[in-house]
């Protein structure tokens, strides 16, 4: 795991297709955090390849942080801040290069393939 890399300020780009398809719809995040509006310092970063149908749990290292999840690999990731990610649930799905922000202390992820997930913790 790498240490803090500096200030994270709107550098994260959300895929245009994601914005067009999700615009106006409610976010799956608890507090409806918009990735584009996230500002703060990076306090932790993790890149992990998921296993097929294996659940991955990410615990935030700091309180009151925003967790940004990005799918870096081919294959879909299903992410939730509750203990209920399910393969096939479109509300929890992240496709290649798609990002989602959560104001949560823990994230649950699952996949039906072997994608790579990136989690950035912002405070």
């Amino acid at each position: 795991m790498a240490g803090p890399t500096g200030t994270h300020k709107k550098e994260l780009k959300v895929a245009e297709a994601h914005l067009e398809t999700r615009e106006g719809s409610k976010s799956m995040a608890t507090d409806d955090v918009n990735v584009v509006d996230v500002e703060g310092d990076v306090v932790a970063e993790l890149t992990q390849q998921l296993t097929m149908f294996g659940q991955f749990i990410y615990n935030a290292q700091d309180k009151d942080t925003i967790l940004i999840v990005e799918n870096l690999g081919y294959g879909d990731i299903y992410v939730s801040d509750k203990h209920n990610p399910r393969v096939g649930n479109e509300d929890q799905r992240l496709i290649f290069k798609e990002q989602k922000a959560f104001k949560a202390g823990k994230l649950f992820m699952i996949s039906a393939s072997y994608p790579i997930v990136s989690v950035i913790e912002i405070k």
Side-chain angles (χ1 to χ4, degrees), residues 1-2 44-48 56-58 61 72 109 117-121:
M1 177 170 58
E45 294 178 66
L46 172 77
T47 303
Q48 176 73 39
F56 178 73
I57 301 170
Y58 180 84
Q61 296 182 18
L72 300 175
M109 298 173 232
V117 64
S118 169
V119 179
I120 300 173
E121 205 169 317

Side-chain angles (χ1 to χ4, degrees), residues 11-12 21 26 38-39 41-42 50 53 76 82 89 116:
E11 287 92 1
L12 294 174
T21 59
K26 189 170 183 168
V38 173
E39 294 182 7
D41 293 328
V42 174
L50 301 183
F53 294 111
D76 300 341
K82 297 178 180 40
N89 184 339
I116 298 171

Side-chain angles (χ1 to χ4, degrees), residues 6 9 43 45 52 65 87 92 94:
K9 191 174 187 179
V43 294
E45 294 178 66
M52 186 174 285
T65 59
V87 171
Q92 299 173 337
L94 289 178

Side-chain angles (χ1 to χ4, degrees), residues 1 5 17 29 35 37 41 47 89-90 106 110 116:
M1 177 170 58
T5 59
V35 175
D37 296 332
D41 293 328
T47 303
N89 184 339
E90 293 296 319
K106 186 180 285 193
I110 195 167
I116 298 171

